[in-house]
Amino acid sequence: MSVFDDSRLDDPAALEASDHLLRRLAGAGARVRAELDASEEALSQLATDGFRPRAIVAAGRDARLVRAVLEPVCPVPFVAWPGPGLPGWTGPLDLVIVLSGDDADTAAVSAASEAVRRGCGLMVASPADSPVAQASAGSRHAIRLPSQSDDQLAAAVAVLQGLHQLELGPAVDAKAVAEMLDEVAIACSPNNDVASNPAKDLALMLADALPLVWGGSVLAARAARRVVEAVRLASGRPALAADCGHLLPVLANQPPRDVFADPFDQPEELRPGLVILDDGVEDGGVAEHRRQLEQTAERHDVRVHVVTQANGTDVARYAALTQHGRYAAAYLGIGLGRYGTPSEEPPGPPGNPAEDPAW
């Protein structure tokens, strides 16, 4: 197992060697702005014209993020579809949303092709020369948002903006999302030492823990999934994002620490560490679940770390929590020597983890 070296978090050489990863994280706000700029013409032409689809089906990357934002307010049924293809009932009265990057996302390509075949309304967010864009080329009812990068969040923000203009979703302040991401980048900058950097502080907690990440609201829970994807990628260790009912048994079954154990004679196995993502949602059920988790963790000597982002729009808070966790994952990988070493390049950028096949 890799040994975490906290000195690497402030080591100029290690940080310089990881510059390409940290720069990608820092550019998240700029990518949101670029996405909206590129989609400005297409978005300006959107109008409801009195038409409302019977239902909405979202396929491809981050379809569940779109669902989490829309479901509380969307006036029509909404389905996040893992693919391939589309649900059997989908037809010309329905709107299909497909988010995809440059790569050949077979499920997204299949959904776009099927939407064209069935004559569905279609909103596509993908690069102009991507397989999904090519698959949707035959549709006469397509809204095409030309993605500028392989950034899932940036594409989702553009789609949510379009859905708001079609009176199908809530207001999305894309500028506020970009500004929030910029604020996270400033706070979590590698130039800030461990004492003043919240992401490095979280990385220290994760260094000798198996992360259990919990978010109480729908969007915070979605952010928790994104954070554990980045942590698994950066550390090669297990990490779990789940609801309260699944996490409580894990916490309750932790044996007490042996305070007399010699860590050099027999190193202690990694214990769970509970990370709470708090997006400021005031709900009695969420508060009760958090109380249960914190009390159970305290009884069983499990450390708790809370990441709070209570200001801003729903999507901005989600983006900030996710990005905070991704920065922490990057610093975890640096401290473990998995990032920023000439002998081993990381398997992929922590800001763009692969979609969980379990959805």
Side-chain angles (χ1 to χ4, degrees), residues 15-292:
L15 295 174
E16 177 65 27
S18 305
D19 184 67
H20 60 298
L21 300 176
L22 297 172
R23 279 185 181 275
R24 176 174 174 81
L25 290 171
R31 289 193 294 275
V32 170
R33 294 186 185 92
E35 198 79 8
L36 270 293
D37 288 345
S39 301
E40 183 177 5
E41 181 179 354
L43 291 173
S44 67
Q45 298 174 6
L46 291 184
T48 61
D49 295 328
F51 171 75
R52 177 171 289 177
R54 179 183 60 176
I56 301 175
V57 179
R61 310 173 314 155
D62 254 357
R64 288 204 168 185
L65 168 59
V66 177
R67 185 183 73 176
V69 175
L70 255 67
E71 270 190 331
V73 297
C74 187
V76 301
F78 190 101
V79 175
W81 184 254
L86 293 172
W89 50 261
T90 311
L93 297 179
D94 305 309
L95 174 64
V96 176
I97 301 169
V98 182
L99 299 88
S100 182
D102 290 310
D103 57 339
D105 183 341
T106 56
V109 171
S110 174
S113 300
E114 193 66 10
V116 172
R117 189 183 72 82
R118 299 189 194 183
C120 303
L122 185 60
M123 179 182 289
V124 174
S126 67
D129 57 351
S130 68
V132 164
Q134 295 170 11
S136 65
S139 173
R140 295 179 297 173
H141 311 288
I143 302 166
R144 296 181 176 85
L145 306 178
S147 293
Q148 300 301 292
S149 69
D150 197 37
D151 189 308
Q152 299 176 359
L153 177 61
V157 169
V159 166
L160 290 168
Q161 178 62 44
L163 292 171
H164 169 64
Q165 293 179 210
L166 292 173
E167 299 180 2
L168 296 170
V172 179
D173 189 343
K175 181 180 179 181
V177 175
E179 289 177 350
M180 189 74 77
L181 289 169
D182 290 344
E183 291 176 8
V184 174
I186 292 171
C188 301
S189 166
N191 297 324
N192 298 334
D193 61 22
V194 171
S196 60
N197 190 316
K200 291 181 181 180
D201 183 47
L202 177 54
L204 290 176
M205 182 266 198
L206 297 175
D208 58 354
L210 296 176
L212 306 177
V213 187
W214 177 80
S217 72
V218 174
L219 280 173
R222 189 66 191 159
R225 288 177 65 90
R226 288 303 187 212
V227 171
V228 298
E229 287 171 358
V231 169
R232 288 195 294 256
L233 182 65
S235 67
R237 299 173 179 173
L240 175 65
D243 60 25
C244 176
H246 288 93
L247 294 181
L248 282 174
V250 180
L251 296 171
N253 282 283
Q254 293 308 305
R257 291 180 185 271
D258 183 357
V259 297
F260 300 106
D262 184 348
F264 297 99
D265 178 51
Q266 187 175 2
E268 185 179 17
E269 293 185 0
L270 295 179
R271 293 173 60 83
L274 178 62
V275 179
I276 293 176
L277 302 185
D278 177 10
D279 64 351
V281 171
E282 297 181 359
D283 178 86
V286 171
E288 174 61 19
H289 287 163
R290 176 171 173 174
R291 184 190 64 79
Q292 293 176 11

